[in-house]
Amino acid sequence: AQSVTQPDIHITVSEGASLELRCNYSYGATPYLFWYVQSPGQGLQLLLKYFSGDTLVQGIKGFEAEFKRSQSSFNLRKPSVHWSDAAEYFCAVGTGANNLFFGTGTRLTVIP
Amino acid sequence: GAGVSQSPRYKVAKRGQDVALRCDPISGHVSLFWYQQALGQGPEFLTYFQNEAQLDKSGLPSDRFFAERPEGSVSTLKIQRTQQEDSAVYLCASSIRRAPIYNEQFFGPGTRLTVL
């Protein structure tokens, strides 16, 4: 069965600092991997996705993520965090069926 | 509008009441999804439509939950005899093509249901 683990419930970083949000997945084949961001009162917005090819993928808002098959990980990174990045971040895996399986999310707080 | 819209944004129901939640997907999007997001959790899949056909309803938690998309555009999620455990945010998403995993799902803002 597929599953997604986001081990960090809440992360606090200073504005301008680098960020890494962790995501580990469990799936028997090559997964389709996604990162979404959810701001209060807003719908989920896709940041980036990985299907195949280059394991380092670039997304919107300066985010990137790296797929590491050996570690079953798809961590999200940003070199310099902005106050507007404060939100909830969800990692998700698509298995080729019709739906996405989401992790429980990581809430990011950005302090001045 | 340009995005997925949902109504109402907030709904308070007494236990035992029936509720209906509406989703207006992006015009022309073939695929439509419903997810349930409990407090502090990630969204969980409920059901999937391709046009008017409900192809997957494996995530519906009980027979009190029913979804329809009769004309292949607007969708309604109905919950009968609501229970407190139904309290959650219900998210709707749409995708342009029929192979949804390969394409971005665009999410609405959700309907927050509170059952007293």
Side-chain angles (χ1 to χ4, degrees):
Chain A
Q2 56 282 319
S3 66
V4 178
T5 302
Q6 293 181 249
D8 303 307
I9 296 174
H10 185 202
I11 284 183
T12 300
V13 300
S14 298
E15 191 169 14
S18 64
L19 171 69
E20 182 169 31
L21 301 183
R22 295 183 291 165
C23 173
N24 292 92
Y25 68 90
S26 173
Y27 182 57
T30 300
Y32 304 103
L33 296 163
F34 306 79
W35 274 100
Y36 280 86
V37 61
Q38 186 176 39
S39 299
Q42 304 295 316
L44 289 155
Q45 181 183 21
L46 180 67
L47 288 175
L48 46 78
K49 59 187 177 184
Y50 171 78
F51 290 158
S52 64
D54 193 348
T55 56
L56 183 64
V57 293
Q58 302 297 321
I60 62 171
K61 305 184 180 185
F63 285 93
E64 67 177 25
E66 185 171 12
F67 171 58
K68 293 185 177 180
R69 183 188 302 276
S70 62
Q71 298 178 18
S72 296
S73 69
F74 188 57
N75 294 349
L76 182 71
R77 300 194 294 249
K78 186 169 185 178
S80 179
V81 170
H82 188 262
W83 64 266
S84 61
D85 294 325
E88 188 95 20
Y89 291 81
F90 291 93
C91 180
V93 59
T95 63
N98 301 315
N99 53 301
L100 297 173
F101 290 89
F102 286 86
T104 52
T106 297
R107 182 160 59 95
L108 174 65
T109 297
V110 181
I111 56 177
Chain B
V4 178
S5 60
Q6 294 185 245
S7 60
R9 291 293 308 276
Y10 303 90
K11 178 69 178 177
V12 178
K14 293 182 179 179
R15 187 161 57 93
Q17 282 185 330
D18 297 348
V19 297
L21 312 179
R22 177 187 170 105
C23 172
D24 285 82
I26 294 173
S27 178
H29 277 201
V30 169
S31 300
L32 185 143
F33 308 80
W34 283 99
Y35 292 84
Q36 180 190 59
Q37 186 176 17
L39 188 64
Q41 301 297 315
E44 292 190 0
F45 170 78
L46 294 177
T47 187
Y48 162 63
F49 289 85
Q50 181 181 302
N51 295 309
E52 70 279 2
Q54 189 175 20
L55 298 187
D56 187 346
K57 53 182 180 180
S58 61
L60 295 177
S62 77
D63 58 7
R64 296 185 296 103
F65 287 71
F66 171 77
E68 60 183 5
R69 193 186 185 198
E71 298 179 357
S73 56
V74 172
S75 177
T76 303
L77 176 67
K78 298 179 180 179
I79 309 174
Q80 298 177 324
R81 305 181 303 281
T82 52
Q83 303 295 317
Q84 285 188 326
E85 61 264 27
D86 300 334
S87 295
V89 175
Y90 290 86
L91 298 170
C92 176
S94 68
S95 183
I96 193 166
R97 286 197 281 265
R98 290 182 292 177
I101 288 303
Y102 307 95
N103 299 289
E104 179 177 356
Q105 294 186 25
F106 293 84
F107 283 80
T111 294
R112 181 178 297 277
L113 173 65
T114 303
V115 181
L116 302 177

